[in-house]
């Protein structure tokens, strides 16, 4: 029955949206009881692969309806937004992700490029857009696999603000990061995770805790010193981020947390191999997270619509 319904959906989308066929990897993903899409570093005013991937996300969303979409930052490259009426809100977001199934809630974090602009406007836009949600610089919420069943498994999402946690961003180039007390956020992260009893605990930020790339690794080293002990202590399942425009799956010697640098959804750079590399890729793309009782899957969808890589965890 599900395959029959999918066929009808694709027939409809071909007529009304111009999609020619089922995405190449759709049959390799089993829809979960709860599904979330994720993208990173997408903001290029539609250039590079941004518009292509935005269309691809819509195609997949017809098959696997997301409950919401996560942005891991830098959706508004290059200089953030200046106000809630900034035209870049249209050219980088509203006019790119137009498919009806993507008009679900979006939850974002601030990237370093957003910090070049007016970060308060990013939060204020939540009061204007019917889908954009950023209630604070860092925030958390929980979701259940079945809203009608209070006994169903729950997931905790923790969204953090990474730029102010690194000294590099305490300069005039990033004015809103200069006067933020990092200790307050670190205490908040620790306190939230200390009481997190959900089946799955996911943390989302912009900057990598681990990565191997051609950039100066001082950022990751500084961030790691502050976050990794907290993540290990509370056994965070995943840390998702962006920033370096590569896809990387990394796991340190403890194996407690999967560190995933989500691929750029517009412009990609080459990754490097390192001690903790499990997999990396030069391809742009986005991700789909699916949850079922006792199981979580992360699928990396590349710009050709292929399921290039998957991570499965069971509890």
């Amino acid at each position: 029955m599900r395959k029959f319904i999918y066929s009808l959906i694709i027939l409809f989308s071909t007529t009304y949206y111009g999609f020619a066929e089922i995405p190449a990897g759709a049959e390799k993903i089993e829809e979960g009881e709860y599904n979330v899409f994720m993208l990173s570093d997408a903001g290029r005013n539609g250039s590079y692969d941004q518009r292509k991937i935005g269309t691809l996300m819509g195609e997949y969303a017809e098959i696997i309806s997301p409950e919401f979409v996560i942005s891991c930052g830098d959706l508004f490259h290059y200089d953030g937004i200046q106000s809630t009426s900034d035209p870049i809100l249209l050219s980088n977001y509203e006019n790119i992700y137009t498919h009806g199934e993507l008009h679900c809630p979006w939850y974002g974090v601030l990237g370093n490029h957003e910090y070049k602009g007016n970060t308060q406007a990013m939060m204020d836009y939540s009061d204007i857009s019917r889908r954009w949600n950023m209630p604070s610089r860092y925030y958390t919420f929980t979701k259940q696999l079945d809203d009608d069943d209070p006994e169903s498994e729950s997931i905790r999402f923790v969204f953090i603000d990474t730029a102010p946690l690194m000294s590099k961003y305490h300069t005039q180039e990033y004015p809103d990061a200069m006067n933020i007390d990092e200790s307050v956020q670190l205490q908040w992260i620790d306190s939230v995770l200390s009481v997190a009893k959900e089946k799955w605990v996911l943390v989302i930020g912009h900057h990598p805790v681990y990565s191997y790339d051609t950039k100066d690794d001082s950022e990751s080293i500084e961030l790691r010193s502050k976050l990794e002990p907290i993540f290990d202590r509370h056994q965070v399942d995943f840390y998702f981020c962006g920033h370096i425009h590569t896809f990387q799956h990394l796991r340190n010697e403890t194996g407690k947390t999967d560190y995933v640098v989500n691929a750029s959804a517009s412009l990609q750079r080459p990754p490097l191999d390192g001690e903790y590399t499990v997999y990396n890729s030069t391809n742009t793309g986005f991700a789909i997270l699916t949850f079922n009782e006792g199981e979580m899957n992360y699928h990396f969808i590349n710009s050709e619509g292929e399921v290039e890589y998957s991570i499965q965890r069971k509890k």
Side-chain angles (χ1 to χ4, degrees), residues 164-181:
L165 299 179
M166 291 171 286
S167 55
K168 172 182 176 177
Y169 297 103
H170 291 200
T171 67
Q172 292 293 340
E173 186 178 2
Y174 308 94
D176 290 350
M178 292 179 61
N179 300 315
I180 296 176
D181 186 346

Side-chain angles (χ1 to χ4, degrees), residues 176-242:
D176 290 350
M178 292 179 61
N179 300 315
I180 296 176
D181 186 346
E182 69 170 37
S183 64
V184 175
Q185 181 181 186
L186 290 172
Q187 290 172 6
W188 177 87
I189 295 170
D190 191 38
S191 65
V192 167
L193 294 177
S194 67
V195 298
K197 306 302 181 186
E198 291 74 24
K199 186 77 169 184
W200 302 102
V201 179
L202 316 180
V203 180
I204 299 97
H206 179 64
H207 293 83
V209 170
Y210 282 100
S211 69
Y212 300 106
D213 56 87
T214 57
K215 286 192 172 185
D216 179 6
D217 61 0
S218 62
E219 290 183 14
S220 290
I221 291 172
E222 186 175 5
L223 197 62
R224 190 181 313 146
S225 69
K226 297 169 182 177
L227 292 179
E228 186 178 30
I230 300 175
F231 292 173
D232 285 350
R233 184 162 59 250
H234 301 300
Q235 298 189 12
V236 167
D237 295 302
F238 280 87
Y239 175 66
F240 296 110
C241 66

Side-chain angles (χ1 to χ4, degrees), residues 129-148:
S129 172
R130 295 186 64 176
R131 55 176 171 167
W132 183 255
N133 294 271
M134 186 180 287
S136 184
R137 296 179 186 277
Y138 45 91
Y139 56 99
T140 185
F141 57 76
T142 61
K143 299 291 183 180
Q144 288 186 283
L145 297 189
D146 185 351
D147 289 336
D148 297 325

Side-chain angles (χ1 to χ4, degrees), residues 73-305:
D74 282 0
L75 183 56
F76 299 102
H77 200 279
Y78 295 87
D79 295 321
I81 64 173
Q82 298 305 312
S83 71
T84 57
S85 59
D86 195 318
I88 201 172
L89 288 160
L90 299 179
S91 62
N92 269 20
Y93 176 51
E94 301 288 2
N95 292 345
I96 301 293
Y97 307 101
T98 56
H99 194 284
E101 292 294 335
L102 297 178
H103 280 259
C104 56
W106 285 55
Y107 294 94
V109 298
L110 296 167
N112 53 295
H113 285 280
E114 274 95 10
Y115 261 103
K116 290 185 176 183
N118 180 350
T119 54
Q120 184 59 49
M122 290 282 293
M123 291 169 271
D124 292 344
Y125 193 59
S126 304
D127 296 327
I128 296 173
S129 172
R130 295 186 64 176
R131 55 176 171 167
W132 183 255
N133 294 271
M134 186 180 287
S136 184
R137 296 179 186 277
Y138 45 91
Y139 56 99
T140 185
F141 57 76
T142 61
K143 299 291 183 180
Q144 288 186 283
L145 297 189
D146 185 351
D147 289 336
D148 297 325
D149 180 6
E151 300 301 317
S152 67
E153 288 184 2
S154 57
I155 313 157
R156 178 168 291 276
F157 297 88
V158 183
F159 296 79
I160 66 174
D161 187 18
T162 54
L165 299 179
M166 291 171 286
S167 55
K168 172 182 176 177
Y169 297 103
H170 291 200
T171 67
Q172 292 293 340
E173 186 178 2
Y174 308 94
D176 290 350
M178 292 179 61
N179 300 315
I180 296 176
D181 186 346
E182 69 170 37
S183 64
V184 175
Q185 181 181 186
L186 290 172
Q187 290 172 6
W188 177 87
I189 295 170
D190 191 38
S191 65
V192 167
L193 294 177
S194 67
V195 298
K197 306 302 181 186
E198 291 74 24
K199 186 77 169 184
W200 302 102
V201 179
L202 316 180
V203 180
I204 299 97
H206 179 64
H207 293 83
V209 170
Y210 282 100
S211 69
Y212 300 106
D213 56 87
T214 57
K215 286 192 172 185
D216 179 6
D217 61 0
S218 62
E219 290 183 14
S220 290
I221 291 172
E222 186 175 5
L223 197 62
R224 190 181 313 146
S225 69
K226 297 169 182 177
L227 292 179
E228 186 178 30
I230 300 175
F231 292 173
D232 285 350
R233 184 162 59 250
H234 301 300
Q235 298 189 12
V236 167
D237 295 302
F238 280 87
Y239 175 66
F240 296 110
C241 66
H243 184 56
I244 58 172
H245 295 232
T246 69
F247 177 81
Q248 299 189 40
H249 175 205
L250 308 112
R251 189 180 291 137
N252 65 14
E253 65 273 3
T254 70
K256 294 178 180 179
T257 302
D258 283 289
Y259 292 90
V260 178
V261 184
N262 209 49
S264 167
S266 61
L267 174 65
Q268 193 78 327
R269 301 187 181 105
L272 301 176
D273 287 322
E275 179 183 2
Y276 299 135
T277 299
V278 181
Y279 181 82
N280 61 34
S281 175
T282 60
N283 290 321
T284 57
F286 73 103
I288 298 176
L289 284 63
T290 64
F291 299 86
N292 290 298
E293 293 288 334
E295 179 180 306
M296 174 185 168
N297 291 277
Y298 170 98
H299 301 287
F300 168 47
I301 316 299
N302 66 28
S303 59
E304 299 306 313

